[in-house]
Amino acid sequence: MQTTNRVNKFLATILFSTLAISAESMAKAKESAEQLAFLKAERLAKLGRLDLSDPDVASLKNYPLYPYLRFNQLRAQLNQLNPEDVAQFSAEFPDSHLESLLRFNYTEHLGEKRDWDAFLTHYSEIDSPNTVMQCRYAEALYRQKQTTEAAKLAAKLWSVGRSQPDSCDDLFRLFRSNGDLTSSVALNRVLNALDANKWGLSGYALRFVKSDVDRRIADAARAVYRSPFKVLQMGSGYSSKQLAKIQRIAIERAYRHDPYEALNLLLKLGKQFDLSLTDNLNELTRVGVRVAKELDAHDRIKLAKLDPQHVSAELTEWRIRLALLEQDWQEVATLIAKLPKELQDSPRWQYWLAALPDNPMRTQILDSLRTKRSFYGFLATDHLGQPADLNHEPLTLDRGLLTALRDSSHYRRIKELTQLDRFTVSRSEFNRWIEGMSENEIQHAAHLMNE
C-alpha cells in the first residue's frame, strides 16, 4: 500500500510539473516576437547594458513600449546623466508619465550626491516632492546660505509628530547648529507628538524646550496625555491654538480608552471647545458618530447636548437615524430641517420626509423621487406602485473619436502593458492619458478600456 501511495505521489508530481511547463509554454506562445524582443531588451536596459545601435533594439523604435526601454536605460545610468539627457527624454516622450518620473529620479540623485546647485535648479520641476526630497531641499538652502527660507522649512519638517527618515538627519544637524531650533518649535513638536500618540517622541522633543513658559505648557500637555480629564483644570497662559491642541489630545486619549469617556469629556468642556475650528469640529463629529453607531436610544439626550447648534451635519444625520429607530417623527422632522440645504434635498432625507405621518406632500415628494436613479428612488417607485424610471442615458459612441483614441500612443502603450499583465503601470498610463480630457472623451476612453 505504501509503495502504491509513493508511486501515485510521484506520478502526480510529474503530471503537475508537466501541466505547469505546458501552461508556461502556452503563456510564452501568446507573447509576440516583438514583445519577447522588448522583454529581453528591458532586462539589459535595467542593467545599464542596452545598446541602442543593436539591430534588435533599433527594430523596437516604433514599438509602443519603447519609452520604457529608454527610461530604464537612463535610470540605470544616473551617475552619467546630465540635464540635457533628461530634457531630451522629456521632449521625446512628453505625454508619458515616465517623463516626470525620470525628472524625479534625476533630482533625487543630485540630492544624494550633494550637487546642491544642480539640485536647486531641478527641484522646482518636481510636482510632489516627498519628505526626503523636502529635507534635501532645505539642506541645499542651508548650504547655499539661504538660511531664512531653510530654517522655515526645516522647522516644519522637524516639528511633525513622528520620526522623520534618516536622510533628514543632516538637515536637522544644520538646523540645530545654526540656532534655528527654538524653544517654541520644540514645544510645537511636543504637542504634535502627543497628538499623534507618540509619548516617547514628546519626551525627546522636550529636551529642546528651554523657555520656562514653553516648558510649563509642555508639562501640562504631557500631564493631560496621562490623565485626560486634567484638561478641565487648565488655567490661563495658553494661546487659543495651543489650548485647542491640548483639548484634542485629551479627547483622543479618552477616546482610545472608551468613546463614551470622550463623549463625557466633550460635554464637560462644553463651550470651551471651539467648534469654529475645523479640527475641533472633526473631533466632535468622530466621537459623536461613534457613539451614535451603538444605536442606543438612551444616547440621544447626550448627543443633543453635544451639538445643540447642529454644527456637525454628519452627527445630525446620525441623530435622525436614532430618532427613526424610536419612530420619533417630530424629532425626525426637526432634525432634517437643521441639515444643510443640499442634504435636506438629498433622496435619503426627502424619502424620510415623505414617510412622516400625515405629510400632505407625501405623494408629490415620492413622485419626484421616482424619477431619480437611486436606492430611494426605487423605494419611492415601490410605494407608489409604479414602474421604475431608470433614467438610462446611453452613451452615443463617436466612431471617429474612438478611432483617434485607439491611434494614440497612450492607448497603444496601455494595450501592450495589459497584454504583459502590467496592470498597475497601465493604470498610471491611463490616469496620465485622461488628464485634460473632456467628460465625453473620458467616457470613450473608458469604453476602450472595457474592450
Side-chain angles (χ1 to χ4, degrees), residues 303-304 307 310 315-323 331 335:
L303 293 176
D307 184 20
H310 308 93
L315 179 54
T316 301
E317 288 188 294
W318 276 95
R319 289 174 59 192
I320 298 171
R321 292 181 176 96
L322 288 177
E331 180 73 352
L335 290 174

Side-chain angles (χ1 to χ4, degrees), residues 83-104:
E84 290 72 26
D85 296 322
V86 179
Q88 181 181 347
F89 184 87
S90 296
E92 193 173 353
F93 309 109
D95 65 340
S96 172
H97 74 287
L98 297 175
E99 179 269 336
S100 59
L101 185 55
L102 181 64
R103 280 191 286 108
F104 185 94

Side-chain angles (χ1 to χ4, degrees), residues 328-343:
D328 186 345
W329 300 110
Q330 181 58 52
E331 180 73 352
V332 170
T334 299
L335 290 174
I336 290 178
K338 298 295 184 181
L339 289 172
K341 186 67 165 58
E342 63 272 16
L343 284 177

Side-chain angles (χ1 to χ4, degrees), residues 311-373:
V311 180
S312 171
E314 185 179 354
L315 179 54
T316 301
E317 288 188 294
W318 276 95
R319 289 174 59 192
I320 298 171
R321 292 181 176 96
L322 288 177
L324 285 169
L325 283 176
E326 294 295 298
Q327 297 187 34
D328 186 345
W329 300 110
Q330 181 58 52
E331 180 73 352
V332 170
T334 299
L335 290 174
I336 290 178
K338 298 295 184 181
L339 289 172
K341 186 67 165 58
E342 63 272 16
L343 284 177
Q344 288 186 42
D345 293 340
S346 66
R348 172 184 286 116
W349 301 123
Q350 284 293 301
Y351 174 82
W352 287 110
L353 276 178
L356 295 175
D358 304 320
N359 187 342
M361 301 293 291
R362 179 179 184 275
T363 301
Q364 183 178 336
I365 293 173
L366 290 176
D367 196 54
S368 175
L369 284 176
R370 187 181 65 82
T371 64
K372 293 182 172 23
R373 189 183 176 94

Side-chain angles (χ1 to χ4, degrees), residues 35-54:
Q35 288 171 337
L36 291 172
F38 165 75
L39 294 172
K40 178 182 177 182
E42 185 183 46
R43 286 192 290 271
L44 292 173
K46 289 180 177 180
L47 295 171
R49 293 162 44 193
L50 184 68
D51 180 4
L52 294 177
S53 63
D54 183 288

